[in-house]
């Protein structure tokens, strides 16, 4: 693996190897379980619901006031491809979750436009581990890759990074999402090769 001179993103020194069973791709494959929902930036909304049922709705303008970050992320899809150092912009997920976190909150169920869902432990969405990404490679995020806004959780298999995110539900107990109900791993750590619930 080489980095070009002047490379200013995250260094690859810590990635002398890929997660087990993964191969490197230079492209950016599109993987969607259904059709691409057609949601304009103006119509896009994110609703965040806490464990006692109180909720907040965000639109793009208000979301961006929470503070945008540049992110360099390695992506690992459970089908085998990995893409290193991909350039995103987005808002830390913690910013929209924080007001709704109660003592009992342990898990988040993520809902997408189109009906896709996925579950993630709350702890994996805090402290600079997860973003609401609205931009890729310097431009608006394309619909096929999850625009207007998708989740980005680089340390878990990419099926956890829900595209076209619509709602977040904070819960005390885990509730399995779309692929997790179909036998994929509830957590999905690529470095532990947690592909299926039996792994
Ligand atoms: N809403 C939604 N999000 C989704 C999916 C999907 O089918 N629907 N597929 C997941 C899977 S399996 C992968 S690998 C990534 C693919 O993201 P990409 O199409 O931008 O590469 O999106 C994830 N998020
Ligand atoms: Mo995937």
């Amino acid at each position: 693996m080489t980095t070009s001179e002047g490379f200013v993103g995250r260094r690859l020194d810590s990635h002398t190897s890929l997660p087990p069973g993964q191969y490197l791709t230079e492209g950016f494959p599109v993987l969607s379980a259904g059709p691409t929902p057609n949601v304009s930036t103006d119509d896009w909304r994110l609703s965040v619901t806490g464990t006692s049922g109180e909720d907040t709705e965000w639109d793009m303008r208000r979301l961006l006031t929470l503070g945008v970050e540049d992110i360099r992320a390695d992506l690992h899809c459970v089908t085998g491809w990995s893409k290193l150092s991909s350039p995103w912009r987005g808002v830390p997920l913690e910013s929209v979750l924080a007001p709704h976190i109660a003592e009992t909150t342990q898990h988040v169920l993520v809902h997408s436009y189109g009906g896709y869902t996925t579950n993630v432990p709350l702890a994996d969405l805090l402290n600079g581990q997860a973003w609401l990404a609205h931009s890729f490679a310097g431009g608006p995020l394309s619909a096929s890759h999850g625009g207007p806004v998708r989740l980005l959780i680089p340390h878990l298999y990419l099926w956890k990074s829900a595209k076209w995110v619509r709602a977040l539900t904070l819960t005390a107990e885990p509730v399995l999402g779309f692929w997790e109900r179909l036998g994929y791993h509830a957590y999905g750590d690529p470095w532990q090769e947690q592909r299926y619930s039996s792994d």
Side-chain angles (χ1 to χ4, degrees):
M1 216 174 295
T2 57
T3 58
S4 55
E5 226 172 68
F7 180 80
V8 290
R10 179 165 144 211
R11 300 195 55 98
L12 298 177
D13 303 6
S14 56
H15 296 276
T16 49
S17 64
L18 290 170
Q22 295 295 111
Y23 61 87
L24 197 58
T25 180
E26 294 300 330
F28 192 1
V30 170
L31 274 95
S32 307
T36 296
N38 183 14
V39 186
S40 71
T41 298
D42 280 352
D43 290 341
W44 177 81
R45 297 290 184 276
L46 172 70
S47 149
V48 185
T49 307
T51 35
S52 51
E54 83 292 350
D55 67 1
T56 306
E57 193 161 75
W58 299 88
D59 60 18
M60 185 71 94
R61 190 186 54 78
R62 284 188 60 224
L63 180 74
L64 298 184
T65 65
L66 294 174
V68 170
E69 294 180 355
D70 284 306
I71 308 131
R72 283 273 171 180
D74 300 343
L75 312 178
H76 308 295
C77 172
V78 73
T79 62
W81 58 268
S82 290
K83 179 177 177 62
L84 298 184
S85 203
S86 58
W88 300 84
R89 278 173 76 74
V91 173
L93 199 61
E94 183 161 5
S95 303
V96 299
L97 292 175
H100 294 284
I101 298 172
E103 244 173 74
T104 52
T105 311
Q106 301 261 24
H107 297 273
V108 176
L109 185 63
V110 184
H111 310 258
S112 296
Y113 285 93
Y116 185 87
T117 53
T118 189
N119 56 283
V120 186
L122 173 67
D124 287 81
L125 301 176
L126 309 177
N127 302 311
Q129 300 181 92
W131 293 267
L132 289 159
H134 68 291
S135 168
F136 179 80
L141 179 59
S142 68
S144 59
H145 285 300
V149 180
R150 80 177 296 166
L151 246 66
L152 185 62
I153 317 171
H155 71 288
L156 300 176
Y157 278 124
L158 198 56
W159 89 74
K160 301 287 186 178
S161 294
K163 304 196 279 189
W164 318 296
V165 58
R166 170 69 185 93
L168 306 171
T169 312
L170 286 67
T171 61
E173 302 298 327
V175 180
L176 295 182
F178 176 77
W179 284 119
E180 294 85 0
R181 281 197 300 270
L182 290 173
Y184 283 80
H185 201 278
Y187 184 61
D189 178 354
W191 297 93
Q192 303 294 324
E193 209 169 358
Q194 294 172 341
R195 296 176 194 271
Y196 309 108
S197 57
S198 52
D199 291 336

